[in-house]
Amino acid sequence: METIISFFQDYVAWLSLPRIGITDIFEILIIAFAIYNVITWVKQTRAWILVKGLIVLLILWLIASVLDLNVILWIFFKSINVGIIAVIIVFQPEFRKALEQLGQNNLVTPLFNFNDSKDRSERFSDQTVAGIVKASFELAKTKTGALIVIEKDIPLIEFEKTGIAIDSLVSSQLLINIFEHNTPLHDGAVIIRGNRIVAATCYLPLSDNMHLSKDLGTRHRAGIGVSEVSDSLTIIVSEETGKVSIATGGTLIRNVDGDYLRNKINSLQNKVTDVKKIKLWKGRVKNEKKIN
């Protein structure tokens, strides 16, 4: 009997659950949330290929450990520090994008919002909104490709510097003329800040989301790309179909009408409007879902 008791004390007692408090549960939830988001982020970027490569290396390391292959183990241990630095350098864009998405999180942004724009009643005038909407659909009628980026709280100075400065009041005539074929400013994106067109022919980052539909061209990928790294609203006019789409927060919504576009622009300045029935493209594809 004493042998049995001693066995349970030595080998089974460690199986008893430790005391778990409220802080422990809270800590477990935070870690689980972090791990889930890291896995989701990894699967949507090139880092997923890196993870599969690391798994292969881990299997090789286990085989070398079992077979006691000292030279291979020595190479692994000596190259691990260099490998970590190489991973950081190669995947720097992905790490930067992950930190930018963390900073744009709705739970974090209010804590560090030092912009005084929220104290202003309106970001755009009604004339500006009407000019953007009119120009978008006039361009769509003639199947003239266009890319219009409307800045919100995150400055787009980095992309503004890649284009040609204009600094002019927004008007439908000016926007239509900019994107007219065979004009010096038609290629690239237009950036709008407040009631002014600040620059044209701007270069935007292309989205590297592997789940986007294959029928999307460079213009749509650029519109989604800039919406992934900022809180801007991007209007895309397709040159092939003549349809108007919008991209915001990594989400692409295709074939929108004038009322929906006007309400979306007004929502950037928290202006109350009459929300009419939204007519969306039937059969939303995978790329129209929110990209986390």
Side-chain angles (χ1 to χ4, degrees), residues 234-271:
T234 305
I235 303 171
I236 308 114
V237 181
S238 174
E239 190 173 354
E240 290 76 19
T241 64
K243 301 298 184 182
V244 179
S245 306
I246 61 174
T248 178
T251 304
L252 178 68
I253 304 176
R254 306 175 74 172
N255 193 13
V256 301
D257 58 17
D259 291 333
Y260 184 80
L261 178 58
R262 183 177 293 104
N263 289 330
K264 266 294 186 181
I265 297 175
N266 284 328
S267 68
L268 298 181
Q269 55 190 355
N270 298 322
K271 184 176 180 180

Side-chain angles (χ1 to χ4, degrees), residues 18-127:
R19 297 182 59 183
I20 300 177
I22 297 178
T23 56
D24 299 321
I25 296 175
F26 186 65
E27 187 175 12
I28 292 172
L29 292 176
I30 292 176
I31 295 174
F33 177 78
I35 293 175
Y36 171 79
N37 281 275
V38 168
I39 294 175
T40 303
W41 170 75
V42 166
K43 292 186 67 176
Q44 293 178 347
T45 63
R46 294 184 302 163
W48 178 239
I49 302 175
L50 170 67
V51 171
K52 292 191 289 186
L54 292 177
I55 292 175
V56 173
L57 291 178
L58 179 61
I59 294 174
L60 293 176
W61 176 77
L62 291 175
I63 294 175
S65 299
V66 172
L67 299 179
D68 198 19
L69 305 176
N70 295 325
V71 176
I72 295 179
L73 291 175
W74 179 84
I75 294 174
F76 268 108
F77 288 130
K78 292 298 181 179
S79 60
I80 188 170
N81 294 331
V82 178
I84 293 174
I85 297 174
V87 167
I88 295 175
I89 295 174
V90 172
F91 290 91
Q92 182 268 340
E94 281 73 16
F95 292 139
R96 177 180 176 180
K97 183 179 295 185
L99 292 176
E100 288 174 343
Q101 291 176 352
L102 179 62
Q104 295 173 28
N105 191 287
N106 293 331
L107 296 177
V108 178
T109 302
L111 299 178
F112 302 96
N113 189 7
F114 301 108
N115 196 339
D116 59 351
S117 60
K118 63 182 180 180
D119 297 330
R120 293 176 288 186
S121 58
E122 289 186 355
R123 191 186 305 270
F124 316 104
S125 65
D126 292 336
Q127 183 178 0

Side-chain angles (χ1 to χ4, degrees), residues 52-244:
K52 292 191 289 186
L54 292 177
I55 292 175
V56 173
L57 291 178
L58 179 61
I59 294 174
L60 293 176
W61 176 77
L62 291 175
I63 294 175
S65 299
V66 172
L67 299 179
D68 198 19
L69 305 176
N70 295 325
V71 176
I72 295 179
L73 291 175
W74 179 84
I75 294 174
F76 268 108
F77 288 130
K78 292 298 181 179
S79 60
I80 188 170
N81 294 331
V82 178
I84 293 174
I85 297 174
V87 167
I88 295 175
I89 295 174
V90 172
F91 290 91
Q92 182 268 340
E94 281 73 16
F95 292 139
R96 177 180 176 180
K97 183 179 295 185
L99 292 176
E100 288 174 343
Q101 291 176 352
L102 179 62
Q104 295 173 28
N105 191 287
N106 293 331
L107 296 177
V108 178
T109 302
L111 299 178
F112 302 96
N113 189 7
F114 301 108
N115 196 339
D116 59 351
S117 60
K118 63 182 180 180
D119 297 330
R120 293 176 288 186
S121 58
E122 289 186 355
R123 191 186 305 270
F124 316 104
S125 65
D126 292 336
Q127 183 178 0
T128 296
V129 176
I132 295 173
V133 175
K134 181 180 179 181
S136 299
F137 286 93
E138 288 293 331
L139 292 167
K141 288 180 183 178
T142 58
K143 290 188 177 181
T144 302
L147 192 57
I148 303 172
V149 184
I150 304 175
E151 184 183 88
K152 193 181 177 183
D153 293 327
I154 298 178
L156 300 176
I157 299 175
E158 177 183 355
F159 309 116
E160 177 187 340
K161 291 180 179 179
T162 64
I164 299 175
I166 294 180
D167 193 21
S168 173
L169 287 173
V170 175
S171 67
S172 60
Q173 295 85 351
L174 179 56
L175 287 172
I176 293 172
N177 188 70
I178 287 175
F179 290 107
E180 189 66 33
H181 291 294
N182 301 323
T183 58
L185 301 179
H186 83 282
D187 191 20
V190 161
I191 296 179
I192 295 178
R193 180 179 300 125
N195 293 312
R196 305 189 72 82
I197 301 175
V198 294
T201 68
C202 299
Y203 293 100
L204 304 179
L206 299 180
S207 175
D208 57 357
N209 189 336
M210 296 179 291
H211 299 295
L212 293 177
S213 176
K214 300 301 181 183
D215 64 343
L216 294 178
T218 304
R219 185 176 289 110
H220 287 81
R221 290 182 177 273
I224 298 172
V226 72
S227 72
E228 291 174 343
V229 299
S230 68
D231 57 355
S232 61
L233 173 68
T234 305
I235 303 171
I236 308 114
V237 181
S238 174
E239 190 173 354
E240 290 76 19
T241 64
K243 301 298 184 182
V244 179

